[in-house]
Amino acid sequence: LIPEIPYDPEVVADAIRQRSRAGKNFSIVAVAEGAKSKADAILWQTAIEAKENAENKQQKQKAKARLEELIVQQADNTLRLSKTLEQLTTSESRVTILGYLQRGGTPSAADRLLATRLGTACTALINKGVFGVMVAIHGEQAVPVPLEEVVGKCKTIPLNHPWLETARLVGISLGD
């Protein structure tokens, strides 16, 4: 489940039930950070539009507070989905936050090389007096990217991306 495609918990549950009927005794539901149900996506869109269309400071503050409320609710999204799927499928659901596992593991050689590349590139930029940037890997190059270009922005997957088509072709449900 990804942020670009709001999901319907019933569609996800149906995919799990279909796997169960086909003799699969487990299903894995991967939920990307920022993934929202269709109902939550409507709430977000309404709050964003209210903020954009606010005619005065009071309306803008109210809309901003609503968005902050939704951000807090989003933090529990995966746990809420897990409980909903248990109810809809009568199957046990367990939640694992992969970021916690990844940060707790031993870095691979590739992880260490990447960290070294990024770290040395950062040090070189500092020595040159370049600030207000992050270092990104583009192709084989470590390049500075101004923070204004990345802060508060979300890189999304185009809905016609081949990865999404491939996922659907192999039977992966995107919840829509």
Side-chain angles (χ1 to χ4, degrees), residues 40-58:
D40 286 347
I42 291 168
L43 294 175
W44 275 84
Q45 189 58 42
T46 302
I48 289 167
E49 287 172 5
K51 185 178 175 190
E52 290 172 353
N53 297 329
E55 294 179 4
N56 58 48
K57 189 174 181 176
Q58 185 181 11

mmCIF file of all heavy atoms in Angstrom, residues 40-58:
data_model
loop_
_atom_site.group_PDB
_atom_site.id
_atom_site.type_symbol
_atom_site.label_atom_id
_atom_site.label_comp_id
_atom_site.label_asym_id
_atom_site.label_seq_id
_atom_site.Cartn_x
_atom_site.Cartn_y
_atom_site.Cartn_z
ATOM 1 N N ASP A 40 -9.537 8.182 4.690
ATOM 2 C CA ASP A 40 -8.571 9.134 5.234
ATOM 3 C C ASP A 40 -8.086 10.110 4.168
ATOM 4 O O ASP A 40 -7.863 11.288 4.453
ATOM 5 C CB ASP A 40 -7.377 8.407 5.854
ATOM 6 C CG ASP A 40 -7.705 7.754 7.185
ATOM 7 O OD1 ASP A 40 -8.775 8.047 7.759
ATOM 8 O OD2 ASP A 40 -6.880 6.938 7.659
ATOM 9 N N ALA A 41 -7.917 9.625 2.940
ATOM 10 C CA ALA A 41 -7.460 10.496 1.845
ATOM 11 C C ALA A 41 -8.466 11.622 1.611
ATOM 12 O O ALA A 41 -8.072 12.769 1.341
ATOM 13 C CB ALA A 41 -7.243 9.682 0.575
ATOM 14 N N ILE A 42 -9.755 11.324 1.735
ATOM 15 C CA ILE A 42 -10.784 12.355 1.566
ATOM 16 C C ILE A 42 -10.670 13.397 2.682
ATOM 17 O O ILE A 42 -10.739 14.605 2.430
ATOM 18 C CB ILE A 42 -12.195 11.729 1.525
ATOM 19 C CG1 ILE A 42 -12.356 10.921 0.233
ATOM 20 C CG2 ILE A 42 -13.280 12.791 1.664
ATOM 21 C CD1 ILE A 42 -13.586 10.031 0.196
ATOM 22 N N LEU A 43 -10.451 12.920 3.926
ATOM 23 C CA LEU A 43 -10.288 13.852 5.044
ATOM 24 C C LEU A 43 -9.085 14.765 4.825
ATOM 25 O O LEU A 43 -9.151 15.972 5.074
ATOM 26 C CB LEU A 43 -10.131 13.083 6.360
ATOM 27 C CG LEU A 43 -11.333 12.271 6.840
ATOM 28 C CD1 LEU A 43 -10.980 11.464 8.082
ATOM 29 C CD2 LEU A 43 -12.523 13.182 7.093
ATOM 30 N N TRP A 44 -7.970 14.182 4.362
ATOM 31 C CA TRP A 44 -6.758 14.967 4.092
ATOM 32 C C TRP A 44 -7.022 16.003 3.007
ATOM 33 O O TRP A 44 -6.651 17.163 3.140
ATOM 34 C CB TRP A 44 -5.606 14.051 3.668
ATOM 35 C CG TRP A 44 -4.867 13.477 4.819
ATOM 36 C CD1 TRP A 44 -5.186 12.368 5.546
ATOM 37 C CD2 TRP A 44 -3.674 13.981 5.412
ATOM 38 N NE1 TRP A 44 -4.268 12.157 6.537
ATOM 39 C CE2 TRP A 44 -3.320 13.136 6.473
ATOM 40 C CE3 TRP A 44 -2.866 15.072 5.138
ATOM 41 C CZ2 TRP A 44 -2.200 13.335 7.263
ATOM 42 C CZ3 TRP A 44 -1.730 15.269 5.928
ATOM 43 C CH2 TRP A 44 -1.415 14.416 6.984
ATOM 44 N N GLN A 45 -7.640 15.566 1.915
ATOM 45 C CA GLN A 45 -7.899 16.481 0.800
ATOM 46 C C GLN A 45 -8.804 17.622 1.237
ATOM 47 O O GLN A 45 -8.574 18.773 0.889
ATOM 48 C CB GLN A 45 -8.515 15.725 -0.387
ATOM 49 C CG GLN A 45 -8.604 16.556 -1.642
ATOM 50 C CD GLN A 45 -7.264 17.089 -2.119
ATOM 51 O OE1 GLN A 45 -6.255 16.398 -2.109
ATOM 52 N NE2 GLN A 45 -7.247 18.348 -2.530
ATOM 53 N N THR A 46 -9.806 17.311 2.034
ATOM 54 C CA THR A 46 -10.715 18.342 2.530
ATOM 55 C C THR A 46 -9.967 19.348 3.399
ATOM 56 O O THR A 46 -10.163 20.561 3.277
ATOM 57 C CB THR A 46 -11.873 17.689 3.327
ATOM 58 O OG1 THR A 46 -12.551 16.765 2.473
ATOM 59 C CG2 THR A 46 -12.850 18.722 3.852
ATOM 60 N N ALA A 47 -9.091 18.852 4.267
ATOM 61 C CA ALA A 47 -8.322 19.735 5.149
ATOM 62 C C ALA A 47 -7.343 20.598 4.351
ATOM 63 O O ALA A 47 -7.178 21.791 4.651
ATOM 64 C CB ALA A 47 -7.580 18.912 6.195
ATOM 65 N N ILE A 48 -6.713 20.012 3.349
ATOM 66 C CA ILE A 48 -5.773 20.775 2.508
ATOM 67 C C ILE A 48 -6.519 21.871 1.750
ATOM 68 O O ILE A 48 -6.070 23.021 1.690
ATOM 69 C CB ILE A 48 -5.025 19.830 1.542
ATOM 70 C CG1 ILE A 48 -4.036 18.961 2.323
ATOM 71 C CG2 ILE A 48 -4.315 20.613 0.440
ATOM 72 C CD1 ILE A 48 -3.470 17.798 1.536
ATOM 73 N N GLU A 49 -7.673 21.523 1.194
ATOM 74 C CA GLU A 49 -8.472 22.514 0.464
ATOM 75 C C GLU A 49 -8.956 23.620 1.395
ATOM 76 O O GLU A 49 -8.976 24.798 1.017
ATOM 77 C CB GLU A 49 -9.652 21.840 -0.232
ATOM 78 C CG GLU A 49 -9.243 21.017 -1.434
ATOM 79 C CD GLU A 49 -10.373 20.185 -2.022
ATOM 80 O OE1 GLU A 49 -11.535 20.300 -1.558
ATOM 81 O OE2 GLU A 49 -10.088 19.402 -2.948
ATOM 82 N N ALA A 50 -9.325 23.267 2.626
ATOM 83 C CA ALA A 50 -9.780 24.272 3.597
ATOM 84 C C ALA A 50 -8.644 25.247 3.899
ATOM 85 O O ALA A 50 -8.870 26.465 3.992
ATOM 86 C CB ALA A 50 -10.263 23.603 4.882
ATOM 87 N N LYS A 51 -7.424 24.732 4.007
ATOM 88 C CA LYS A 51 -6.280 25.607 4.274
ATOM 89 C C LYS A 51 -6.005 26.510 3.068
ATOM 90 O O LYS A 51 -5.773 27.702 3.220
ATOM 91 C CB LYS A 51 -5.043 24.776 4.607
ATOM 92 C CG LYS A 51 -3.850 25.615 5.001
ATOM 93 C CD LYS A 51 -2.661 24.779 5.368
ATOM 94 C CE LYS A 51 -1.459 25.653 5.644
ATOM 95 N NZ LYS A 51 -0.234 24.887 5.767
ATOM 96 N N GLU A 52 -6.028 25.919 1.873
ATOM 97 C CA GLU A 52 -5.761 26.698 0.660
ATOM 98 C C GLU A 52 -6.833 27.750 0.404
ATOM 99 O O GLU A 52 -6.536 28.824 -0.114
ATOM 100 C CB GLU A 52 -5.659 25.767 -0.549
ATOM 101 C CG GLU A 52 -4.424 24.909 -0.551
ATOM 102 C CD GLU A 52 -4.415 23.843 -1.635
ATOM 103 O OE1 GLU A 52 -5.455 23.664 -2.330
ATOM 104 O OE2 GLU A 52 -3.378 23.170 -1.788
ATOM 105 N N ASN A 53 -8.078 27.461 0.766
ATOM 106 C CA ASN A 53 -9.192 28.366 0.483
ATOM 107 C C ASN A 53 -9.542 29.281 1.659
ATOM 108 O O ASN A 53 -10.526 30.026 1.572
ATOM 109 C CB ASN A 53 -10.434 27.564 0.070
ATOM 110 C CG ASN A 53 -10.203 26.791 -1.208
ATOM 111 O OD1 ASN A 53 -9.448 27.218 -2.072
ATOM 112 N ND2 ASN A 53 -10.846 25.644 -1.330
ATOM 113 N N ALA A 54 -8.746 29.209 2.730
ATOM 114 C CA ALA A 54 -9.021 30.040 3.900
ATOM 115 C C ALA A 54 -8.986 31.519 3.506
ATOM 116 O O ALA A 54 -8.076 31.965 2.807
ATOM 117 C CB ALA A 54 -8.008 29.757 5.005
ATOM 118 N N GLU A 55 -10.000 32.236 3.953
ATOM 119 C CA GLU A 55 -10.110 33.650 3.593
ATOM 120 C C GLU A 55 -9.551 34.577 4.659
ATOM 121 O O GLU A 55 -9.348 35.759 4.413
ATOM 122 C CB GLU A 55 -11.568 33.986 3.299
ATOM 123 C CG GLU A 55 -12.083 33.274 2.072
ATOM 124 C CD GLU A 55 -13.541 33.580 1.781
ATOM 125 O OE1 GLU A 55 -14.154 34.412 2.499
ATOM 126 O OE2 GLU A 55 -14.068 32.966 0.833
ATOM 127 N N ASN A 56 -9.306 34.023 5.853
ATOM 128 C CA ASN A 56 -8.729 34.859 6.907
ATOM 129 C C ASN A 56 -7.817 34.013 7.783
ATOM 130 O O ASN A 56 -7.740 32.793 7.646
ATOM 131 C CB ASN A 56 -9.839 35.543 7.731
ATOM 132 C CG ASN A 56 -10.780 34.539 8.369
ATOM 133 O OD1 ASN A 56 -10.361 33.562 8.980
ATOM 134 N ND2 ASN A 56 -12.085 34.786 8.220
ATOM 135 N N LYS A 57 -7.143 34.706 8.678
ATOM 136 C CA LYS A 57 -6.152 34.057 9.541
ATOM 137 C C LYS A 57 -6.795 32.989 10.432
ATOM 138 O O LYS A 57 -6.225 31.916 10.628
ATOM 139 C CB LYS A 57 -5.450 35.114 10.394
ATOM 140 C CG LYS A 57 -4.266 34.597 11.153
ATOM 141 C CD LYS A 57 -3.537 35.718 11.856
ATOM 142 C CE LYS A 57 -2.330 35.194 12.599
ATOM 143 N NZ LYS A 57 -1.552 36.267 13.218
ATOM 144 N N GLN A 58 -7.986 33.261 10.943
ATOM 145 C CA GLN A 58 -8.674 32.319 11.823
ATOM 146 C C GLN A 58 -9.010 31.018 11.079
ATOM 147 O O GLN A 58 -8.793 29.923 11.604
ATOM 148 C CB GLN A 58 -9.941 32.940 12.396
ATOM 149 C CG GLN A 58 -10.645 32.065 13.409
ATOM 150 C CD GLN A 58 -11.910 32.724 13.940
ATOM 151 O OE1 GLN A 58 -12.381 33.735 13.413
ATOM 152 N NE2 GLN A 58 -12.465 32.151 15.000
#
